[in-house]
Amino acid sequence: MAHEDYKDMLTAQALDALEAPAVRDLEAHLQGCAECRLQLSEWEDTAAALAFASLEAKLLEPSRQLRGRILDAVRADVKALETTKQAEDGHLQPVNVLPLKPSRTWSSAQTWGAIAAGVVLVGLVTTLFVLWKQNREARQELARLTEQVRDAQQQMIQQRDLIEIVAAPGARMRELAGTKVMPGAHAMIAYDKTGRAILMATGLPPTPAGMAYQLWFIAGGKPMPGRVFTTDASGAGTFNDQVPAEALSAAVFAITLEPKDGMPAPTGAIYAISGT
Amino acid sequence: VKDTLHSEQREIVQRALAKLPEEQTRILILAYFEGLTQSEIATKLATPLGTVKTRMRSGMIKLRELLGKEIKSLH
């Protein structure tokens, strides 16, 4: 195989899309070809940029070690709380607490014992408070991580939907550019021939209370309502929708700001719109 | 700030992808996100292997042109 043949394989190698025998041949060539090694590195930069086309924009999930550490801490806290409660209920007497004998007058030893018991009680209360606080923090952390995992699962589903739609025969993609209302807005809609669609929007400002963005399909001058959606803190939003049959062959797509439950016809300003 | 920066980077790449011919975008997405080889993509899209190879290479060349100097700032 000639040098030029290997050069043609570099883009596929950067995408990790070469078949195994071709990878072996190319790797053997790369060992002796500095030019191809340099070009492969540049193509890998281009391929890596595709990661930013992903729908995912946040930490997906905690590492296994972090998750295990948090769960261990919660279990230890719960066990400590149960032990302390049993001690207070008398089921498990702490070894350093002296039982008080019924007596009208306290001896010196009894007085010191009472003081010691008081100190132990204060210590137990303090320990209980610290454990309660740690337990509460651990539960809050777990709730936050659970929310992150839920978000990640939702994003993975949308990523899968995007791939399925894009890979379907007859799939189409249209770009929506920001209008003068919001020049930085941008969106892309991909849909297959059945109308199954996914829209990815960025650069949209947070919606005012009681308002939401709404997608519109405009065919033959007639706007048909799509779903309403909101954006995250970074101004991005992704959702699935269904392109009406009338709009499948030729349509203009637009995003407007509407009341949060959506409108049957557009009433608000257009933030992004596709070409005709 | 990190979310905003990430959003800008995502927008740059999405704009570039939107400018590619759909068949090229589809092949790049299947290779990168689905992890398919050129033969697997050819089978999935019922397209000749040679066509897949050409579109993949053309798509990467065009993507690199569109991203231009932005590539380094993405990493």
Side-chain angles (χ1 to χ4, degrees):
Chain A
M1 206 179 295
H3 173 70
E4 290 303 315
D5 296 324
Y6 288 114
K7 278 178 68 176
D8 287 345
M9 296 162 68
L10 295 176
T11 49
Q13 174 68 2
L15 287 164
D16 201 19
L18 280 181
E19 318 301 324
V23 172
R24 284 195 292 273
D25 290 346
L26 179 60
E27 285 177 345
H29 173 74
L30 287 172
Q31 286 180 357
C33 182
E35 181 190 350
C36 283
R37 285 200 301 272
L38 177 63
Q39 287 198 9
L40 177 60
S41 172
E42 292 171 355
W43 284 122
E44 285 172 342
D45 282 345
T46 304
L50 285 169
F52 290 99
S54 164
L55 304 174
E56 192 277 318
K58 301 174 188 170
L59 178 66
L60 281 178
E61 59 183 74
S63 67
R64 182 172 296 177
Q65 292 84 348
L66 174 59
R67 190 173 174 80
R69 202 165 66 239
I70 292 167
L71 288 172
D72 287 346
V74 171
R75 289 191 194 105
D77 287 351
V78 169
K79 189 174 179 184
L81 279 172
E82 287 172 349
T83 303
T84 305
K85 189 170 186 307
Q86 285 174 349
E88 286 178 347
D89 291 343
H91 300 308
L92 183 64
Q93 186 71 19
V95 293
N96 53 352
V97 176
L98 298 175
L100 295 177
K101 295 177 182 175
S103 173
R104 292 188 179 183
T105 58
W106 285 12
S107 65
S108 175
Q110 286 173 327
T111 303
W112 282 111
I115 293 171
V119 170
V120 169
L121 181 62
V122 169
L124 278 174
V125 169
T126 304
T127 303
L128 186 64
F129 175 74
V130 170
L131 288 174
W132 171 79
K133 192 165 181 292
Q134 287 179 347
N135 189 31
R136 190 181 64 166
E137 288 171 354
R139 287 178 186 281
Q140 288 172 342
E141 177 67 3
L142 259 186
R144 190 180 67 79
L145 294 174
T146 302
E147 183 67 23
Q148 280 189 353
V149 170
R150 193 177 298 123
D151 286 350
Q153 286 172 337
Q154 177 64 23
Q155 288 162 354
M156 284 174 66
I157 290 169
Q158 289 176 329
Q159 192 83 60
R160 171 66 55 177
D161 287 346
L162 174 64
I163 290 170
E164 284 181 5
I165 290 171
V166 166
R172 302 188 67 180
M173 281 178 279
R174 301 289 299 276
E175 185 180 12
L176 284 71
T179 63
K180 61 183 179 184
V181 176
M182 193 63 199
H186 174 259
M188 190 166 73
I189 185 168
Y191 57 100
D192 62 21
K193 62 184 179 184
T194 70
R196 185 182 175 204
I198 186 165
L199 181 128
M200 296 157 287
T202 56
L204 290 169
T207 52
M211 303 293 279
Y213 293 108
Q214 187 167 8
L215 176 65
W216 298 93
F217 312 100
I218 306 167
K222 176 190 166 195
M224 288 167 279
R227 284 183 58 187
V228 293
F229 66 100
T230 54
T231 53
D232 61 19
S234 71
T238 300
F239 66 96
N240 297 79
D241 207 336
Q242 182 71 30
V243 179
E246 306 94 298
L248 278 177
S249 54
V252 173
F253 301 89
I255 295 171
T256 63
L257 186 65
E258 305 290 349
K260 67 180 177 63
D261 293 329
M263 296 294 286
T267 62
I270 298 176
Y271 280 65
I273 191 164
S274 71
T276 53
Chain B
V1 172
K2 188 179 173 186
D3 278 352
T4 304
L5 183 61
H6 203 151
S7 178
E8 288 174 2
Q9 292 163 332
R10 185 168 41 171
E11 188 176 329
I12 289 169
V13 178
Q14 285 187 357
R15 277 184 194 279
L17 279 177
K19 291 188 171 104
L20 295 184
E22 286 177 10
E23 293 305 324
Q24 292 177 9
T25 305
R26 183 176 304 170
I27 286 170
L28 295 188
I29 287 176
L30 287 174
Y32 190 83
F33 289 108
E34 193 82 327
L36 300 184
T37 64
Q38 291 175 319
S39 297
E40 290 167 337
I41 293 171
T43 303
K44 190 176 184 79
L45 299 180
T47 305
L49 178 60
T51 306
V52 169
K53 288 181 178 180
T54 304
R55 287 176 177 167
M56 181 177 286
R57 181 166 168 73
S58 302
M60 285 287 279
I61 291 171
K62 182 75 174 168
L63 182 64
R64 184 165 72 173
E65 286 172 8
L66 291 167
L67 292 177
K69 293 176 183 173
E70 309 276 10
I71 284 186
K72 292 295 178 190
S73 69
L74 293 175
H75 304 297

